[in-house]
Amino acid sequence: MKSMEHPRFTISPFLVFVLILTMQFGPEYIAMSNKPIQLAGTDTWISVILCGISFHIVIWMMYRILNRNETDLIHIHQQFFGKWAGGGLNFIFIVYFLLTASYQIRLFIEIIQVWLFPDLETWPLALTLLLLVYYIVAGGFRVIVGICMLSLLRNLTLITLVFTADYFHFNNLSPIMDHSLNDIIRASKEFTFPYLGVETLFFCYTFIKTPKKSQKWAHLANFVMILYCLMGIFISLLLFKSEQLSNEIWAQLTKYKFVHFPFIERFEFIGAVSQILWVIPIICFCLWASSRTFKLLFNVKQLIVLPILLILVFTAVCLIPGRNLVETVQIMLSKIGFYIIYAYIPFLFIIDIVRMKVRRTA
């Protein structure tokens, strides 16, 4: 079943690199090194590589499914499981994206409250962000990809970490290969959440010109994400000991305290505010994907359902009061994402292979 969008709504294949990298490289990057380093210590870099390789395999599976069926996951669910069961699975993804958007907004607000304005209420900033998100999502998929490109400016703050070199302790990198394979694999599992984002391919496939040519760009984005994670891990180990990281919630933001410029007294404030460039594209895509899925499921206009979904997200954000519940939502999303990547996508891959073989023998 071929289901491609009108050419004026589509993007060039190379822009998949920007989209996937933006979706993977979200705010969870700032806390990614804590738990894995506690589990695998100086061998955490091995866990980064193992997790990255596993995501390359998942991307390959996704493209095999998408290229065979030439449509997005919304229609694939209905082809594979029928109208009602397929619709139920699509609805689960709507909830997943809405929960992800709520978490991303609440995480950003928490960063602002902790690092800049402790007395700031949650709802005014949430309302402001969601109004901006509505304006962007209403512009369509191409506008969202444009925002993803703009968000790459955040890499400028990462470049400043080179100025922390005076505080590096290279003896923190030893001993090497000092942890068991079980510890390394457990640490790899913790990296699943920062790597999440490749599942967006399932929903934007029909919006890519000659989508089969975009596979190499998706793999390249995942490879760059591996390099970013390796950089984050090595700098964390060079600046802190493993015991110190256990007391740091956002180790990546703490690193900005080591950056000093004569014209900027507190560079970590810029690092905290720059998280908006990480958050906005992810929230926009989550709202776009959920509203588009809702549109195809219930045959309503996307711009009509979008405000309703924004109200639901706003309510959810206001119902997440503090750190404990934010962390609970993160753990829940991490588990859901883990099963989507390592259980559901391989399951779809196997079903697709069986369907193709049955068709050939029929």
Side-chain angles (χ1 to χ4, degrees), residues 58-95:
V58 169
I59 290 171
W60 175 79
M61 287 182 180
M62 291 174 67
Y63 268 99
R64 294 284 287 184
I65 298 168
L66 293 167
N67 289 340
R68 282 196 189 113
N69 295 277
E70 295 186 305
T71 187
D72 55 31
L73 185 64
I74 304 167
H75 294 95
I76 288 173
H77 275 155
Q78 294 178 337
Q79 289 179 53
F80 285 14
F81 307 106
K83 180 180 179 181
W84 295 106
L89 289 169
N90 286 331
F91 189 79
I92 290 173
F93 273 91
I94 290 175
V95 175

Side-chain angles (χ1 to χ4, degrees), residues 11-256:
I11 60 172
S12 298
F14 77 91
L15 288 174
V16 171
F17 169 81
V18 177
L19 180 63
I20 296 300
L21 185 60
T22 305
M23 295 301 295
Q24 283 188 315
F25 198 25
E28 52 273 8
Y29 174 82
I30 63 176
M32 70 165 186
S33 59
N34 298 21
K35 291 182 180 178
I37 288 179
Q38 290 174 39
L39 291 169
T42 53
D43 296 325
T44 309
W45 61 274
I46 303 175
S47 302
V48 172
I49 295 173
L50 288 176
C51 189
I53 291 172
S54 68
F55 268 75
H56 276 299
I57 296 171
V58 169
I59 290 171
W60 175 79
M61 287 182 180
M62 291 174 67
Y63 268 99
R64 294 284 287 184
I65 298 168
L66 293 167
N67 289 340
R68 282 196 189 113
N69 295 277
E70 295 186 305
T71 187
D72 55 31
L73 185 64
I74 304 167
H75 294 95
I76 288 173
H77 275 155
Q78 294 178 337
Q79 289 179 53
F80 285 14
F81 307 106
K83 180 180 179 181
W84 295 106
L89 289 169
N90 286 331
F91 189 79
I92 290 173
F93 273 91
I94 290 175
V95 175
Y96 170 69
F97 281 123
L98 291 179
L99 190 59
T100 300
S102 303
Y103 166 75
Q104 297 287 349
I105 294 175
R106 189 62 187 89
L107 178 61
F108 173 71
I109 293 173
E110 184 187 20
I111 291 170
I112 297 300
Q113 288 171 334
V114 171
W115 289 81
L116 293 172
F117 305 112
D119 298 325
L120 178 68
E121 294 288 337
T122 299
W123 72 266
L125 187 51
L127 180 62
T128 305
L129 287 173
L130 287 172
L131 288 174
L132 176 61
V133 167
Y134 175 81
Y135 178 75
I136 295 170
V137 176
F141 180 69
R142 287 167 61 94
V143 175
I144 295 173
V145 176
I147 294 298
C148 289
M149 292 193 70
L150 179 65
S151 73
L152 294 180
L153 289 173
R154 65 194 180 183
N155 292 328
L156 294 176
T157 60
L158 295 176
I159 294 173
T160 60
L161 292 177
V162 72
F163 295 103
T164 64
D166 291 339
Y167 303 95
F168 287 174
H169 299 278
F170 288 95
N171 57 329
N172 288 353
L173 297 177
S174 60
I176 299 175
M177 303 299 290
D178 192 44
H179 293 77
S180 66
L181 180 61
N182 182 51
D183 288 337
I184 292 173
I185 292 174
R186 286 171 60 202
S188 296
K189 184 179 177 181
E190 294 293 336
F191 278 112
T192 304
F193 194 53
Y195 274 99
L196 286 178
V198 297
E199 66 275 12
T200 56
L201 282 169
F202 272 139
F203 296 86
C204 66
Y205 181 83
T206 57
F207 287 83
I208 306 169
K209 296 175 185 175
T210 57
K212 292 181 181 179
K213 294 182 180 179
S214 67
Q215 183 171 353
K216 61 182 179 182
W217 295 104
H219 282 290
L220 180 61
N222 190 65
F223 176 73
V224 172
M225 183 61 187
I226 294 173
L227 297 181
Y228 275 134
C229 288
L230 284 173
M231 180 187 71
I233 289 298
F234 280 122
I235 294 180
S236 293
L237 288 170
L238 289 168
L239 289 174
F240 307 103
K241 292 183 178 180
S242 301
E243 309 83 62
Q244 292 174 305
L245 285 170
S246 63
N247 299 318
E248 291 288 343
I249 298 176
W250 300 304
Q252 308 300 324
L253 280 180
T254 306
K255 293 172 188 174
Y256 290 123

Side-chain angles (χ1 to χ4, degrees), residues 309-321:
L309 298 182
L310 287 170
I311 292 171
L312 290 175
V313 170
F314 177 75
T315 305
V317 170
C318 294
L319 291 175
I320 305 176

